[in-house]
Amino acid sequence: YCQLSRLAIAAGKRYFGSATDNPELSDSPYVAQLGNTADFNQITEGNSMKWDATEPSRGTFTFANGDVVANLARSKGQLLRGHNCVWHSQLPGWVTAGNFNNATLLSIVQNHCNTLVSHYRGQMCQLYFTSLEPMITNSPSDVTVHVTTDSWDVVNEPFNDDGTFRQSVFFQTTGTAYIATALRAAHDADPNTKLYINDFNIEGTGAKSTGMANLVRSLKDQGVPIDGIGVQAHLIVGAVPSTLRQNLQNFANLGVEVAITELDIRMTLPATQALLAQQQRDYQTVIAACKAVSACVGVTVWDYTDKYSWVPGTFSGQGAACPWDANLAKKPAYQGIVNGW
Ligand code: XIL
């Protein structure tokens, strides 16, 4: 019973989940654990719904890889988080600063978000319903339940670390207008999915978190649909911000839900017993912060195993960031998550 998504649900959360990516899905032991719904009742596709994957040339949409992940999640009754509609990174070459004027780029953003979110609309709704079923005992099979669907990271990483807006192609051309355009387009496509703005280095209080709070407050004041703030939480062993819980509560006080969307806690390699023990405590701290804030709806790890973590390829000399090791064995971090819930 002490498994990760069961404990999350017992703590009143919607889910505990993992990111995954298409190249990993030929690894059957990996897929078997990914589909263990006692640990993971939610999946985020790590790359296959990004702009370069879904609209490689203007107006031509390809959903094949995203559909593979969505179908896998559906087959297991897991929730799906869409990731993402608008981001400065992993853009196709045709989305380049200077190529489009303000009005044209806004219409491109509108069309991209609307088409993407529309494609996955029915699926997310069905997924949530199915994921609840095993949790409900004696549920009559003919009952119709209207439940919350799951979520989209509509806007990803709009801020610099000092809380100013990132000079993405979107910001350079439209200012902040692209953010409301993206959110409205996603809302039009699926009024039931939760619409998030997601970023990193907004785990603790500080300038970047203040920037995020100001943005969300101003969007709400303007009546722009916004449901949640995604806190990525790509963290470092021994350096979990002490203000994490307070910061999640500050976000929640804006009237939105919050989620830990991309959790991993990296260390300088090689992993030692002492580092793995500290990592266990750090995972526990993060989970306990989400547990303590009622508006924190769930936690997703950015893949569950060191075998497929993005960390070593991005942060030189660092790794071992996930709760399972590269042989798919549970690390002390797993127990940290259990203890945190
Ligand atoms: C990462 C993927 O995991 C990698 O496979 C890819 O090469 C780069 O992107 N923040 C995000 C994610 O929002 O989309 C990123 O995912 C990790 C950082």
Side-chain angles (χ1 to χ4, degrees), residues 46-47 50 83 87 90 156-157 232 234 262 302 310:
N47 283 302
K50 291 173 178 174
H83 178 83
W87 188 29
Q90 292 180 265
N156 198 32
E157 303 183 351
Q232 289 186 7
H234 294 294
E262 305 184 13
W302 202 244
W310 74 304

Side-chain angles (χ1 to χ4, degrees), residues 152-193:
W152 266 99
D153 292 321
V154 177
V155 178
N156 198 32
E157 303 183 351
F159 289 105
N160 296 314
D161 278 347
D162 66 1
T164 60
F165 285 100
R166 185 189 286 275
Q167 293 289 318
S168 65
V169 41
F170 307 105
F171 184 77
Q172 284 177 51
T173 309
T174 79
T176 57
Y178 79 92
I179 296 172
T181 294
L183 289 163
R184 289 194 168 109
H187 179 76
D188 289 347
D190 184 353
N192 294 315
T193 197

Side-chain angles (χ1 to χ4, degrees), residues 105-148:
L105 189 56
L106 287 177
S107 78
I108 286 169
V109 166
Q110 201 280 338
N111 186 56
H112 181 75
C113 295
N114 192 268
T115 306
L116 185 59
V117 176
S118 292
H119 181 79
Y120 291 104
R121 167 182 175 148
Q123 310 198 23
M124 293 192 178
C125 189
Q126 188 180 355
L127 290 171
Y128 189 61
F129 183 35
T130 322
S131 81
L132 279 180
E133 237 164 358
M135 316 293 171
I136 302 168
T137 47
N138 305 321
S139 67
S141 56
D142 60 345
V143 80
T144 304
V145 184
H146 297 280
V147 292
T148 327

